[in-house]
Amino acid sequence: MDISVTCSECRKVLSKQPAPPRGKNDVKFISYYTKGTPYRREAQRLESSLRRLGVDYEVAEVPNLGSWKLNARFKATFVRDRVGDRPVVWIDADAIMWEPPLLLMDLDCDFAHTYARPNQLNGALHYWAPTKKAVALAERWVEICSERNPKSTSFVRDQRCLQYAMEERVKKNQLDVVVLPISYCFIFDTHRRKNPGVRPIIEQFQASREFK
């Protein structure tokens, strides 16, 4: 399966230079790719889309920890280390931002996310406010990830660990959460089949289907 965006129409869209989005939140988009893997190409495509839209971002190269599971789970630590000073949005490296994410610029909550399917948090994109509640959530996410052995047959993905942490804190009234529309984490094939009328703001290409 070729998930590369190579059509002339897509290149035409990425070449346009709209005005940078503005809102009450000074949001920074963060992501990483693992050194020595095909995700570098995906990350370069993401960077091109972020640069085109004029948003602030950090896309880092990180060491290969030896397996796809460990490389993915590092996300919790990466995000935790960046939550607190300003609003940040984690965005998977194999995504493209097509339009200004205006909703993310005006959120009033501690944490925001989308659902991949009913009752399953989508770990490909999530918003973190610079609040004590968001910092506590990030810390708890790292803790839960470290409690689950990635070498065991009962491995739990980082996004499931995040959902555990989020639901735990929501039950205690310790977190204000907003659920984002699917246009902010639009899965390129599944969502297009099920929601043909939705125009994606951020599209997710799920390169792990090929690379993990």
Side-chain angles (χ1 to χ4, degrees):
M1 177 178 57
D2 183 5
I3 61 174
S4 298
V5 176
T6 57
C7 67
S8 60
E9 185 62 30
C10 292
R11 288 197 296 269
K12 188 186 299 182
V13 170
L14 286 175
S15 68
K16 296 179 181 178
Q17 296 287 336
R22 294 289 181 264
K24 67 182 180 183
N25 295 328
D26 181 24
V27 176
K28 183 174 186 177
F29 292 83
I30 59 173
S31 189
Y32 67 75
Y33 63 93
T34 306
K35 184 177 182 179
T37 69
Y39 280 101
R40 181 175 183 273
R41 182 190 65 190
E42 306 297 321
Q44 289 173 333
R45 187 177 64 180
L46 170 63
E47 281 194 86
S48 294
S49 71
L50 297 174
R51 191 162 49 244
R52 177 184 68 90
L53 289 168
V55 300
D56 193 11
Y57 70 88
E58 174 195 1
V59 178
E61 180 182 83
V62 300
N64 192 327
L65 299 178
S67 74
W68 181 86
K69 292 178 179 180
L70 289 172
N71 291 336
R73 185 164 283 186
F74 178 68
K75 184 191 298 184
T77 299
F78 186 88
V79 171
R80 188 272 315 273
D81 291 346
R82 287 156 179 78
V83 172
D85 293 333
R86 61 187 289 193
V88 296
V89 175
W90 167 267
I91 180 171
D92 273 6
D94 51 358
I96 287 179
M97 184 180 291
W98 295 111
E99 297 185 16
L102 301 179
L103 178 58
L104 297 175
M105 303 297 174
D106 284 308
L107 286 174
D108 187 13
C109 61
D110 300 304
F111 179 73
H113 68 96
T114 65
Y115 280 112
R117 54 179 61 92
N119 301 317
Q120 180 181 313
L121 182 147
N122 190 338
L125 183 133
H126 25 87
Y127 166 92
W128 302 76
T131 65
K132 291 181 180 179
K133 291 179 181 179
V135 170
L137 173 63
E139 293 284 2
R140 182 62 180 139
W141 183 21
V142 172
E143 288 177 4
I144 293 175
C145 283
S146 66
E147 291 167 1
R148 289 169 167 75
N149 183 358
K151 296 181 180 179
S152 75
T153 57
S154 59
F155 172 77
V156 180
R157 291 182 59 188
D158 60 278
Q159 68 181 25
R160 187 58 180 153
C161 293
L162 176 56
Q163 185 165 350
Y164 287 152
M166 179 191 73
E167 292 175 347
E168 180 183 82
R169 304 198 75 78
V170 167
K171 288 177 182 178
K172 297 177 181 178
N173 294 317
Q174 295 176 342
L175 194 70
D176 298 318
V177 178
V178 165
V179 177
L180 300 165
I182 62 169
S183 58
Y184 277 78
C185 198
F186 193 85
I187 298 172
F188 76 104
D189 54 355
T190 306
H191 285 158
R192 185 161 277 110
R193 285 195 302 270
K194 294 181 178 180
N195 306 275
V198 174
R199 182 178 178 130
I201 304 298
I202 298 170
E203 190 163 6
Q204 181 64 39
F205 290 89
Q206 296 195 330
S208 62
R209 298 183 195 180
E210 290 188 56
F211 301 151
K212 73 177 179 181

